[in-house]
Amino acid sequence: MIEQCKQQIQSGALSSAMKTLYFGDEAVAAQCARYQSLCDLYQETYGDTDALRFFSAPGRTEVCGNHTDHNHGKVMAAAVDLDAVAAACKTDDGVVSVKSYEYPKIDRVDSADLSLHDDETGHSQALIRGVCAGFVKRGYKVGGFNCVTRTQVISGSGLSSSAAFEVLVGTVMNYLYNDGKVSAVEIAQIAQYAENAYFGKPCGLMDQMACSVGGFVKIDFADNEHPVIEPIDFDFGACGHKLCIVDTRADHAELTDEYAAIRIDMEKAASAFGKQALREVDEADFRANLPKVRAVAGDRGVLRGLHFFGENKRVEQAAAALEAGDFETFKSVVTASGYSSYMYNQNVFSAKMPLNQPVAVALAASAQYLEGRGAWRVHGGGFAGTIQAFVPDDMLDGYRALMESIFGQGSCYVLNIRPVGGTEVK
């Protein structure tokens, strides 16, 4: 029964598993309370059960390779210890029911109806139906379950709340109906399919892959159907730095076209050589034919193309530095990635709103404070939202105070790199 499940959590039944997902006894104790709240929400929503199971999917941070995945480039990313969690139980009716702690509505999707529903576009029901469709498309089983969720991956934080949700739903389906046999890579691909085909957002695969796989990873998207994923063995906890994500609390509304234009510009630049994506273009050929690229893609297309090629190199440099334990070189590569995003990719502020540049302000303040010690760059899609910084431990309190003096209390998140992606917690 639910009450017994709560007592088991309180007694530490999940603590061993939680220690690999969260960091420190205090964090594990807080998570036990959080998982117990899922039990209460499940009982309030669906009634009692003795078959409740728990699942987790992390948010992600992009470390290097800004806006390259959609043109089959290379990225480095990492899972973080802010996650979305679920308590779920199988049902016999084939209906997937999801109630989020943060929202009053229960989303219900019949797993036997995989047709596109226009009224669901842009809503979580579309993601659930898309995940079901992705499983069936790959020959896996689907079925009904009742589920409640709770997330720490704040929407608009640049930590990919939507990807965490998609991967969470896929992880529940994987363990309830497929004995956990669907690989992390396939779950990421299914999640991307749900977002592209059902939700209506033409995202790349990096967000879902980082959330699903976990840890530090280098991902080569030369072949989107078979991305090459290389885990990077690096003990971030021992490097004397913390990862900070600063939320500038800027509005993302009306920026969809800005995000889409980056992919369009890169693809236009590739079309100058008869190719669909920049990864298919030889860099030396690109550089030798800038007038041709300008004629087809304009000056911005040239600059974004140069950013793409530079980022692919920086991903390799950053990965090599971590593997060699050279964190100083790693930081210099991360900062160079940020400057390339600013100057060439041009996604630090929107040209439509030139007086609003909170990300640029955050980067300028970070550069002044961390120069010679840390690293800083735009994080994720850009234009508004968040920046990323690697901050020495002895500068952390001062850095956080500086950022929160500019962007408000709670705007600076101090995170850990989580070694595990989407998983059942048991």
Side-chain angles (χ1 to χ4, degrees):
M1 297 291 109
I2 291 282
E3 194 58 39
Q4 292 176 326
C5 185
K6 288 177 62 179
Q7 290 173 1
Q8 288 179 333
I9 295 171
Q10 188 172 12
S11 69
L14 299 181
S15 294
S16 178
M18 286 184 178
K19 286 179 181 178
T20 65
L21 307 181
Y22 313 107
F23 295 81
D25 293 339
E26 186 177 337
V28 169
Q31 292 301 326
C32 285
R34 182 172 171 233
Y35 279 60
Q36 285 180 303
S37 74
L38 281 179
C39 295
D40 291 334
L41 181 60
Y42 189 97
Q43 189 165 34
E44 292 169 9
T45 307
Y46 305 111
D48 212 353
T49 181
D50 60 358
L52 204 59
R53 295 164 69 176
F54 298 96
F55 306 87
S56 167
R60 70 95 184 101
T61 182
E62 171 199 282
V63 180
C64 192
N66 189 238
H67 278 287
T68 58
D69 58 330
H70 49 59
N71 265 252
H72 304 286
K74 300 178 182 181
V75 302
M76 181 189 292
V80 298
D81 57 340
L82 294 181
D83 67 344
V85 294
C89 184
K90 290 175 71 171
T91 62
D92 297 326
D93 59 5
V95 175
V96 176
S97 299
V98 179
K99 169 69 173 72
S100 295
Y101 181 90
E102 294 78 16
Y103 302 103
K105 179 186 175 184
I106 301 176
D107 289 316
R108 290 188 171 91
V109 168
D110 185 346
S111 62
D113 177 10
L114 304 180
S115 61
L116 289 171
H117 290 224
D118 290 341
D119 60 327
E120 292 178 355
T121 300
H123 298 283
S124 53
Q125 276 179 291
L127 296 175
I128 298 167
R129 197 179 305 276
V131 167
C132 292
F135 269 79
V136 171
K137 187 177 180 182
R138 290 173 176 268
Y140 294 116
K141 297 177 183 178
V142 297
F145 56 81
N146 289 333
C147 177
V148 293
T149 69
R150 188 168 185 176
T151 187
Q152 296 173 321
V153 189
I154 302 167
S155 179
S157 66
L159 298 172
S160 294
S161 57
S162 59
F165 177 77
E166 297 152 15
V167 169
L168 183 64
V169 173
T171 300
V172 174
M173 191 70 77
N174 185 21
Y175 282 94
L176 291 187
Y177 285 97
N178 296 277
D179 300 320
K181 295 178 181 177
V182 186
S183 71
V185 170
E186 287 185 285
I187 288 177
Q189 292 169 328
I190 288 168
Q192 184 205 22
Y193 171 75
E195 191 155 346
N196 288 176
Y198 283 74
F199 189 79
K201 182 179 178 181
C203 66
L205 186 57
M206 187 270 284
D207 293 353
Q208 292 83 358
M209 195 66 73
C211 293
S212 188
V213 173
F216 273 109
V217 290
K218 183 180 73 174
I219 311 170
D220 188 338
F221 291 111
D223 181 351
N224 253 6
E225 289 301 311
H226 304 93
V228 178
I229 301 164
E230 298 180 35
I232 299 170
D233 185 15
F234 180 77
D235 183 4
F236 181 73
C239 72
H241 288 68
K242 294 292 187 292
L243 167 65
C244 292
I245 300 295
V246 179
D247 183 1
T248 67
R249 296 174 173 171
D251 190 358
H252 286 76
E254 309 302 325
L255 290 175
T256 300
D257 59 334
E258 297 268 26
Y259 299 129
I262 297 176
R263 179 174 187 164
I264 291 168
D265 283 350
M266 289 185 181
E267 290 175 348
K268 281 183 179 178
S271 73
F273 302 88
K275 306 295 184 181
Q276 293 184 327
L278 278 175
R279 188 60 182 276
E280 302 168 26
V281 178
D282 178 74
E283 181 183 358
D285 197 16
F286 184 92
R287 291 181 179 276
N289 289 278
L290 295 187
K292 181 167 71 172
V293 180
R294 290 185 74 199
V296 174
D299 291 338
R300 194 174 65 178
V302 169
L303 294 169
R304 286 176 167 168
L306 292 172
H307 168 77
F308 175 88
F309 291 114
E311 282 290 84
N312 276 353
K313 293 177 183 177
R314 282 184 286 271
V315 167
E316 294 292 347
Q317 293 164 354
L322 287 183
E323 288 165 352
D326 183 358
F327 200 67
E328 293 304 308
T329 295
F330 168 80
K331 288 189 295 182
S332 69
V333 173
V334 167
T335 301
S337 170
Y339 280 117
S340 179
S341 291
Y342 206 152
M343 292 186 292
Y344 299 139
N345 206 38
Q346 300 180 26
N347 63 320
V348 166
F349 67 91
S350 170
K352 296 188 296 185
M353 298 178 286
L355 298 182
N356 298 321
Q357 301 189 32
V359 172
V361 171
L363 291 171
S366 297
Q368 290 183 352
Y369 190 82
L370 297 174
E371 185 71 48
R373 296 286 311 279
W376 56 93
R377 68 191 287 274
V378 66
H379 184 244
F383 298 108
T386 60
I387 71 161
Q388 174 191 84
F390 291 93
V391 182
D393 288 342
D394 64 331
M395 302 180 76
L396 179 62
D397 290 344
Y399 181 77
R400 179 160 48 186
L402 173 62
M403 291 297 109
E404 294 190 345
S405 73
I406 300 170
F407 301 107
Q409 191 71 25
S411 58
C412 182
Y413 301 94
V414 180
L415 305 179
N416 292 290
I417 302 302
R418 165 173 151 164
V420 179
T423 187
E424 182 172 8
V425 184
K426 61 179 181 179

mmCIF file of all heavy atoms in Angstrom, residues 295-337:
data_model
loop_
_atom_site.group_PDB
_atom_site.id
_atom_site.type_symbol
_atom_site.label_atom_id
_atom_site.label_comp_id
_atom_site.label_asym_id
_atom_site.label_seq_id
_atom_site.Cartn_x
_atom_site.Cartn_y
_atom_site.Cartn_z
ATOM 1 N N ALA A 295 26.770 34.809 -51.126
ATOM 2 C CA ALA A 295 25.743 34.987 -52.155
ATOM 3 C C ALA A 295 24.503 34.153 -51.866
ATOM 4 O O ALA A 295 23.382 34.557 -52.185
ATOM 5 C CB ALA A 295 26.318 34.625 -53.531
ATOM 6 N N VAL A 296 24.704 33.000 -51.255
ATOM 7 C CA VAL A 296 23.585 32.076 -50.999
ATOM 8 C C VAL A 296 22.968 32.298 -49.624
ATOM 9 O O VAL A 296 21.735 32.307 -49.472
ATOM 10 C CB VAL A 296 24.059 30.610 -51.130
ATOM 11 C CG1 VAL A 296 22.944 29.641 -50.729
ATOM 12 C CG2 VAL A 296 24.525 30.319 -52.548
ATOM 13 N N ALA A 297 23.823 32.456 -48.590
ATOM 14 C CA ALA A 297 23.342 32.486 -47.205
ATOM 15 C C ALA A 297 23.488 33.836 -46.523
ATOM 16 O O ALA A 297 23.044 33.996 -45.382
ATOM 17 C CB ALA A 297 24.069 31.421 -46.388
ATOM 18 N N GLY A 298 24.108 34.802 -47.180
ATOM 19 C CA GLY A 298 24.320 36.102 -46.563
ATOM 20 C C GLY A 298 25.480 36.085 -45.583
ATOM 21 O O GLY A 298 26.067 35.043 -45.287
ATOM 22 N N ASP A 299 25.803 37.253 -45.074
ATOM 23 C CA ASP A 299 26.939 37.363 -44.155
ATOM 24 C C ASP A 299 26.719 36.578 -42.867
ATOM 25 O O ASP A 299 27.647 35.963 -42.331
ATOM 26 C CB ASP A 299 27.205 38.822 -43.815
ATOM 27 C CG ASP A 299 27.736 39.605 -45.017
ATOM 28 O OD1 ASP A 299 28.271 38.961 -45.943
ATOM 29 O OD2 ASP A 299 27.597 40.839 -45.027
ATOM 30 N N ARG A 300 25.494 36.589 -42.352
ATOM 31 C CA ARG A 300 25.228 35.862 -41.113
ATOM 32 C C ARG A 300 25.397 34.363 -41.318
ATOM 33 O O ARG A 300 25.869 33.653 -40.430
ATOM 34 C CB ARG A 300 23.829 36.180 -40.598
ATOM 35 C CG ARG A 300 23.592 35.733 -39.161
ATOM 36 C CD ARG A 300 22.253 36.190 -38.647
ATOM 37 N NE ARG A 300 21.146 35.556 -39.367
ATOM 38 C CZ ARG A 300 19.864 35.753 -39.088
ATOM 39 N NH1 ARG A 300 19.516 36.588 -38.130
ATOM 40 N NH2 ARG A 300 18.915 35.148 -39.787
ATOM 41 N N GLY A 301 25.038 33.882 -42.501
ATOM 42 C CA GLY A 301 25.239 32.471 -42.808
ATOM 43 C C GLY A 301 26.712 32.103 -42.826
ATOM 44 O O GLY A 301 27.118 31.023 -42.380
ATOM 45 N N VAL A 302 27.549 33.015 -43.349
ATOM 46 C CA VAL A 302 29.002 32.806 -43.335
ATOM 47 C C VAL A 302 29.504 32.689 -41.903
ATOM 48 O O VAL A 302 30.237 31.760 -41.543
ATOM 49 C CB VAL A 302 29.728 33.963 -44.053
ATOM 50 C CG1 VAL A 302 31.231 33.876 -43.806
ATOM 51 C CG2 VAL A 302 29.432 33.941 -45.552
ATOM 52 N N LEU A 303 29.113 33.631 -41.065
ATOM 53 C CA LEU A 303 29.594 33.659 -39.686
ATOM 54 C C LEU A 303 29.126 32.445 -38.896
ATOM 55 O O LEU A 303 29.890 31.844 -38.129
ATOM 56 C CB LEU A 303 29.148 34.950 -39.007
ATOM 57 C CG LEU A 303 29.761 36.232 -39.576
ATOM 58 C CD1 LEU A 303 29.059 37.460 -39.021
ATOM 59 C CD2 LEU A 303 31.251 36.284 -39.288
ATOM 60 N N ARG A 304 27.864 32.070 -39.093
ATOM 61 C CA ARG A 304 27.365 30.899 -38.367
ATOM 62 C C ARG A 304 28.020 29.624 -38.867
ATOM 63 O O ARG A 304 28.221 28.678 -38.100
ATOM 64 C CB ARG A 304 25.840 30.839 -38.464
ATOM 65 C CG ARG A 304 25.192 31.888 -37.567
ATOM 66 C CD ARG A 304 23.685 31.974 -37.658
ATOM 67 N NE ARG A 304 23.195 32.777 -36.528
ATOM 68 C CZ ARG A 304 21.959 33.250 -36.423
ATOM 69 N NH1 ARG A 304 21.063 33.026 -37.391
ATOM 70 N NH2 ARG A 304 21.597 33.948 -35.361
ATOM 71 N N GLY A 305 28.390 29.592 -40.146
ATOM 72 C CA GLY A 305 29.143 28.454 -40.657
ATOM 73 C C GLY A 305 30.522 28.355 -40.026
ATOM 74 O O GLY A 305 30.983 27.278 -39.630
ATOM 75 N N LEU A 306 31.194 29.495 -39.894
ATOM 76 C CA LEU A 306 32.511 29.513 -39.253
ATOM 77 C C LEU A 306 32.404 29.068 -37.793
ATOM 78 O O LEU A 306 33.282 28.363 -37.276
ATOM 79 C CB LEU A 306 33.117 30.906 -39.341
ATOM 80 C CG LEU A 306 33.497 31.369 -40.761
ATOM 81 C CD1 LEU A 306 33.897 32.840 -40.742
ATOM 82 C CD2 LEU A 306 34.627 30.517 -41.331
ATOM 83 N N HIS A 307 31.327 29.479 -37.130
ATOM 84 C CA HIS A 307 31.098 29.031 -35.747
ATOM 85 C C HIS A 307 30.960 27.508 -35.697
ATOM 86 O O HIS A 307 31.555 26.858 -34.828
ATOM 87 C CB HIS A 307 29.831 29.689 -35.194
ATOM 88 C CG HIS A 307 29.348 29.086 -33.906
ATOM 89 N ND1 HIS A 307 29.934 29.354 -32.694
ATOM 90 C CD2 HIS A 307 28.333 28.202 -33.655
ATOM 91 C CE1 HIS A 307 29.300 28.682 -31.743
ATOM 92 N NE2 HIS A 307 28.327 27.980 -32.306
ATOM 93 N N PHE A 308 30.197 26.952 -36.623
ATOM 94 C CA PHE A 308 29.984 25.501 -36.646
ATOM 95 C C PHE A 308 31.307 24.745 -36.727
ATOM 96 O O PHE A 308 31.569 23.829 -35.934
ATOM 97 C CB PHE A 308 29.082 25.132 -37.828
ATOM 98 C CG PHE A 308 28.907 23.647 -38.016
ATOM 99 C CD1 PHE A 308 27.909 22.971 -37.351
ATOM 100 C CD2 PHE A 308 29.759 22.939 -38.860
ATOM 101 C CE1 PHE A 308 27.756 21.594 -37.518
ATOM 102 C CE2 PHE A 308 29.612 21.572 -39.032
ATOM 103 C CZ PHE A 308 28.608 20.898 -38.361
ATOM 104 N N PHE A 309 32.141 25.111 -37.676
ATOM 105 C CA PHE A 309 33.409 24.399 -37.845
ATOM 106 C C PHE A 309 34.324 24.581 -36.635
ATOM 107 O O PHE A 309 34.994 23.646 -36.197
ATOM 108 C CB PHE A 309 34.104 24.866 -39.123
ATOM 109 C CG PHE A 309 33.397 24.453 -40.379
ATOM 110 C CD1 PHE A 309 32.823 25.406 -41.225
ATOM 111 C CD2 PHE A 309 33.288 23.115 -40.711
ATOM 112 C CE1 PHE A 309 32.167 25.022 -42.389
ATOM 113 C CE2 PHE A 309 32.632 22.721 -41.874
ATOM 114 C CZ PHE A 309 32.066 23.672 -42.712
ATOM 115 N N GLY A 310 34.327 25.780 -36.073
ATOM 116 C CA GLY A 310 35.144 26.021 -34.896
ATOM 117 C C GLY A 310 34.679 25.228 -33.692
ATOM 118 O O GLY A 310 35.497 24.688 -32.923
ATOM 119 N N GLU A 311 33.352 25.121 -33.507
ATOM 120 C CA GLU A 311 32.819 24.378 -32.368
ATOM 121 C C GLU A 311 33.151 22.886 -32.451
ATOM 122 O O GLU A 311 33.451 22.251 -31.436
ATOM 123 C CB GLU A 311 31.305 24.565 -32.266
ATOM 124 C CG GLU A 311 30.875 25.878 -31.679
ATOM 125 C CD GLU A 311 31.187 25.994 -30.189
ATOM 126 O OE1 GLU A 311 32.336 26.365 -29.860
ATOM 127 O OE2 GLU A 311 30.312 25.724 -29.359
ATOM 128 N N ASN A 312 33.102 22.324 -33.656
ATOM 129 C CA ASN A 312 33.453 20.909 -33.793
ATOM 130 C C ASN A 312 34.877 20.648 -33.296
ATOM 131 O O ASN A 312 35.159 19.650 -32.636
ATOM 132 C CB ASN A 312 33.311 20.461 -35.250
ATOM 133 C CG ASN A 312 31.884 20.081 -35.596
ATOM 134 O OD1 ASN A 312 31.010 20.028 -34.734
ATOM 135 N ND2 ASN A 312 31.641 19.805 -36.864
ATOM 136 N N LYS A 313 35.786 21.566 -33.604
ATOM 137 C CA LYS A 313 37.165 21.415 -33.137
ATOM 138 C C LYS A 313 37.243 21.590 -31.621
ATOM 139 O O LYS A 313 37.964 20.855 -30.937
ATOM 140 C CB LYS A 313 38.064 22.446 -33.823
ATOM 141 C CG LYS A 313 38.246 22.240 -35.322
ATOM 142 C CD LYS A 313 39.088 23.377 -35.893
ATOM 143 C CE LYS A 313 39.234 23.257 -37.400
ATOM 144 N NZ LYS A 313 39.983 24.404 -37.972
ATOM 145 N N ARG A 314 36.514 22.573 -31.115
ATOM 146 C CA ARG A 314 36.580 22.835 -29.673
ATOM 147 C C ARG A 314 36.026 21.683 -28.851
ATOM 148 O O ARG A 314 36.509 21.407 -27.742
ATOM 149 C CB ARG A 314 35.853 24.147 -29.353
ATOM 150 C CG ARG A 314 36.691 25.388 -29.686
ATOM 151 C CD ARG A 314 35.987 26.659 -29.260
ATOM 152 N NE ARG A 314 34.885 26.995 -30.144
ATOM 153 C CZ ARG A 314 34.997 27.740 -31.236
ATOM 154 N NH1 ARG A 314 36.178 28.241 -31.587
ATOM 155 N NH2 ARG A 314 33.939 28.014 -31.975
ATOM 156 N N VAL A 315 35.010 20.998 -29.353
ATOM 157 C CA VAL A 315 34.493 19.831 -28.638
ATOM 158 C C VAL A 315 35.591 18.783 -28.464
ATOM 159 O O VAL A 315 35.771 18.214 -27.375
ATOM 160 C CB VAL A 315 33.275 19.234 -29.373
ATOM 161 C CG1 VAL A 315 32.931 17.843 -28.822
ATOM 162 C CG2 VAL A 315 32.068 20.156 -29.237
ATOM 163 N N GLU A 316 36.330 18.528 -29.517
ATOM 164 C CA GLU A 316 37.431 17.562 -29.437
ATOM 165 C C GLU A 316 38.504 18.043 -28.461
ATOM 166 O O GLU A 316 39.054 17.263 -27.669
ATOM 167 C CB GLU A 316 38.040 17.338 -30.820
ATOM 168 C CG GLU A 316 37.113 16.668 -31.827
ATOM 169 C CD GLU A 316 36.803 15.220 -31.460
ATOM 170 O OE1 GLU A 316 37.478 14.654 -30.572
ATOM 171 O OE2 GLU A 316 35.872 14.649 -32.065
ATOM 172 N N GLN A 317 38.810 19.343 -28.502
ATOM 173 C CA GLN A 317 39.818 19.896 -27.606
ATOM 174 C C GLN A 317 39.377 19.806 -26.145
ATOM 175 O O GLN A 317 40.173 19.463 -25.258
ATOM 176 C CB GLN A 317 40.108 21.349 -27.984
ATOM 177 C CG GLN A 317 40.786 21.513 -29.335
ATOM 178 C CD GLN A 317 40.719 22.950 -29.850
ATOM 179 O OE1 GLN A 317 40.065 23.816 -29.258
ATOM 180 N NE2 GLN A 317 41.393 23.214 -30.965
ATOM 181 N N ALA A 318 38.124 20.119 -25.888
ATOM 182 C CA ALA A 318 37.603 20.074 -24.520
ATOM 183 C C ALA A 318 37.593 18.645 -23.986
ATOM 184 O O ALA A 318 37.953 18.397 -22.824
ATOM 185 C CB ALA A 318 36.204 20.670 -24.463
ATOM 186 N N ALA A 319 37.175 17.694 -24.832
ATOM 187 C CA ALA A 319 37.146 16.294 -24.407
ATOM 188 C C ALA A 319 38.553 15.783 -24.110
ATOM 189 O O ALA A 319 38.793 15.111 -23.101
ATOM 190 C CB ALA A 319 36.487 15.439 -25.484
ATOM 191 N N ALA A 320 39.500 16.127 -24.985
ATOM 192 C CA ALA A 320 40.885 15.697 -24.776
ATOM 193 C C ALA A 320 41.455 16.283 -23.491
ATOM 194 O O ALA A 320 42.194 15.610 -22.752
ATOM 195 C CB ALA A 320 41.743 16.102 -25.974
ATOM 196 N N ALA A 321 41.105 17.536 -23.195
ATOM 197 C CA ALA A 321 41.603 18.178 -21.975
ATOM 198 C C ALA A 321 41.061 17.478 -20.729
ATOM 199 O O ALA A 321 41.803 17.207 -19.779
ATOM 200 C CB ALA A 321 41.219 19.656 -21.964
ATOM 201 N N LEU A 322 39.780 17.153 -20.722
ATOM 202 C CA LEU A 322 39.214 16.455 -19.575
ATOM 203 C C LEU A 322 39.827 15.075 -19.408
ATOM 204 O O LEU A 322 40.149 14.647 -18.287
ATOM 205 C CB LEU A 322 37.697 16.338 -19.712
ATOM 206 C CG LEU A 322 36.867 17.602 -19.506
ATOM 207 C CD1 LEU A 322 35.390 17.281 -19.603
ATOM 208 C CD2 LEU A 322 37.172 18.251 -18.165
ATOM 209 N N GLU A 323 39.974 14.364 -20.495
ATOM 210 C CA GLU A 323 40.544 13.019 -20.425
ATOM 211 C C GLU A 323 41.980 13.050 -19.913
ATOM 212 O O GLU A 323 42.451 12.096 -19.277
ATOM 213 C CB GLU A 323 40.463 12.347 -21.795
ATOM 214 C CG GLU A 323 39.037 11.950 -22.175
ATOM 215 C CD GLU A 323 38.870 11.629 -23.643
ATOM 216 O OE1 GLU A 323 39.839 11.852 -24.414
ATOM 217 O OE2 GLU A 323 37.776 11.161 -24.029
ATOM 218 N N ALA A 324 42.690 14.165 -20.162
ATOM 219 C CA ALA A 324 44.064 14.305 -19.690
ATOM 220 C C ALA A 324 44.118 14.933 -18.296
ATOM 221 O O ALA A 324 45.211 15.121 -17.743
ATOM 222 C CB ALA A 324 44.863 15.175 -20.664
ATOM 223 N N GLY A 325 42.967 15.260 -17.726
ATOM 224 C CA GLY A 325 42.925 15.893 -16.417
ATOM 225 C C GLY A 325 43.387 17.338 -16.431
ATOM 226 O O GLY A 325 43.750 17.885 -15.389
ATOM 227 N N ASP A 326 43.357 17.967 -17.602
ATOM 228 C CA ASP A 326 43.839 19.343 -17.765
ATOM 229 C C ASP A 326 42.648 20.295 -17.728
ATOM 230 O O ASP A 326 42.130 20.720 -18.767
ATOM 231 C CB ASP A 326 44.602 19.458 -19.085
ATOM 232 C CG ASP A 326 45.203 20.838 -19.309
ATOM 233 O OD1 ASP A 326 44.998 21.722 -18.450
ATOM 234 O OD2 ASP A 326 45.868 21.034 -20.346
ATOM 235 N N PHE A 327 42.216 20.655 -16.528
ATOM 236 C CA PHE A 327 41.018 21.475 -16.397
ATOM 237 C C PHE A 327 41.262 22.922 -16.820
ATOM 238 O O PHE A 327 40.330 23.603 -17.246
ATOM 239 C CB PHE A 327 40.495 21.429 -14.956
ATOM 240 C CG PHE A 327 39.057 21.832 -14.839
ATOM 241 C CD1 PHE A 327 38.053 21.038 -15.385
ATOM 242 C CD2 PHE A 327 38.684 22.999 -14.191
ATOM 243 C CE1 PHE A 327 36.719 21.399 -15.289
ATOM 244 C CE2 PHE A 327 37.357 23.383 -14.087
ATOM 245 C CZ PHE A 327 36.370 22.575 -14.638
ATOM 246 N N GLU A 328 42.493 23.397 -16.739
ATOM 247 C CA GLU A 328 42.784 24.764 -17.168
ATOM 248 C C GLU A 328 42.573 24.930 -18.669
ATOM 249 O O GLU A 328 41.969 25.898 -19.125
ATOM 250 C CB GLU A 328 44.215 25.147 -16.778
ATOM 251 C CG GLU A 328 44.438 25.263 -15.281
ATOM 252 C CD GLU A 328 43.488 26.240 -14.624
ATOM 253 O OE1 GLU A 328 43.388 27.387 -15.102
ATOM 254 O OE2 GLU A 328 42.816 25.848 -13.642
ATOM 255 N N THR A 329 43.056 23.967 -19.449
ATOM 256 C CA THR A 329 42.823 24.015 -20.898
ATOM 257 C C THR A 329 41.341 23.873 -21.203
ATOM 258 O O THR A 329 40.798 24.566 -22.077
ATOM 259 C CB THR A 329 43.622 22.910 -21.604
ATOM 260 O OG1 THR A 329 45.018 23.167 -21.446
ATOM 261 C CG2 THR A 329 43.297 22.863 -23.090
ATOM 262 N N PHE A 330 40.684 22.984 -20.485
ATOM 263 C CA PHE A 330 39.243 22.809 -20.669
ATOM 264 C C PHE A 330 38.515 24.136 -20.496
ATOM 265 O O PHE A 330 37.672 24.517 -21.314
ATOM 266 C CB PHE A 330 38.715 21.778 -19.672
ATOM 267 C CG PHE A 330 37.218 21.729 -19.570
ATOM 268 C CD1 PHE A 330 36.461 21.049 -20.521
ATOM 269 C CD2 PHE A 330 36.551 22.367 -18.526
ATOM 270 C CE1 PHE A 330 35.072 21.009 -20.426
ATOM 271 C CE2 PHE A 330 35.172 22.340 -18.423
ATOM 272 C CZ PHE A 330 34.435 21.654 -19.379
ATOM 273 N N LYS A 331 38.847 24.876 -19.450
ATOM 274 C CA LYS A 331 38.179 26.163 -19.205
ATOM 275 C C LYS A 331 38.440 27.157 -20.334
ATOM 276 O O LYS A 331 37.526 27.898 -20.737
ATOM 277 C CB LYS A 331 38.644 26.743 -17.868
ATOM 278 C CG LYS A 331 38.104 26.029 -16.650
ATOM 279 C CD LYS A 331 38.433 26.778 -15.361
ATOM 280 C CE LYS A 331 39.913 26.824 -15.083
ATOM 281 N NZ LYS A 331 40.219 27.507 -13.812
ATOM 282 N N SER A 332 39.645 27.169 -20.864
ATOM 283 C CA SER A 332 39.946 28.105 -21.947
ATOM 284 C C SER A 332 39.144 27.762 -23.197
ATOM 285 O O SER A 332 38.705 28.660 -23.929
ATOM 286 C CB SER A 332 41.443 28.103 -22.253
ATOM 287 O OG SER A 332 41.857 26.886 -22.843
ATOM 288 N N VAL A 333 38.931 26.477 -23.440
ATOM 289 C CA VAL A 333 38.141 26.051 -24.596
ATOM 290 C C VAL A 333 36.675 26.451 -24.400
ATOM 291 O O VAL A 333 36.012 26.938 -25.335
ATOM 292 C CB VAL A 333 38.273 24.535 -24.818
ATOM 293 C CG1 VAL A 333 37.321 24.073 -25.923
ATOM 294 C CG2 VAL A 333 39.703 24.160 -25.165
ATOM 295 N N VAL A 334 36.143 26.261 -23.201
ATOM 296 C CA VAL A 334 34.764 26.627 -22.905
ATOM 297 C C VAL A 334 34.546 28.133 -23.120
ATOM 298 O O VAL A 334 33.560 28.562 -23.730
ATOM 299 C CB VAL A 334 34.392 26.230 -21.462
ATOM 300 C CG1 VAL A 334 33.078 26.874 -21.031
ATOM 301 C CG2 VAL A 334 34.284 24.709 -21.357
ATOM 302 N N THR A 335 35.467 28.941 -22.636
ATOM 303 C CA THR A 335 35.343 30.388 -22.821
ATOM 304 C C THR A 335 35.427 30.770 -24.299
ATOM 305 O O THR A 335 34.677 31.638 -24.777
ATOM 306 C CB THR A 335 36.432 31.117 -22.016
ATOM 307 O OG1 THR A 335 36.297 30.777 -20.629
ATOM 308 C CG2 THR A 335 36.307 32.627 -22.166
ATOM 309 N N ALA A 336 36.316 30.113 -25.041
ATOM 310 C CA ALA A 336 36.419 30.365 -26.484
ATOM 311 C C ALA A 336 35.120 30.003 -27.192
ATOM 312 O O ALA A 336 34.686 30.694 -28.125
ATOM 313 C CB ALA A 336 37.585 29.580 -27.070
ATOM 314 N N SER A 337 34.480 28.922 -26.750
ATOM 315 C CA SER A 337 33.183 28.543 -27.304
ATOM 316 C C SER A 337 32.167 29.655 -27.099
ATOM 317 O O SER A 337 31.384 29.987 -27.999
ATOM 318 C CB SER A 337 32.693 27.250 -26.641
ATOM 319 O OG SER A 337 31.356 26.969 -26.989
#
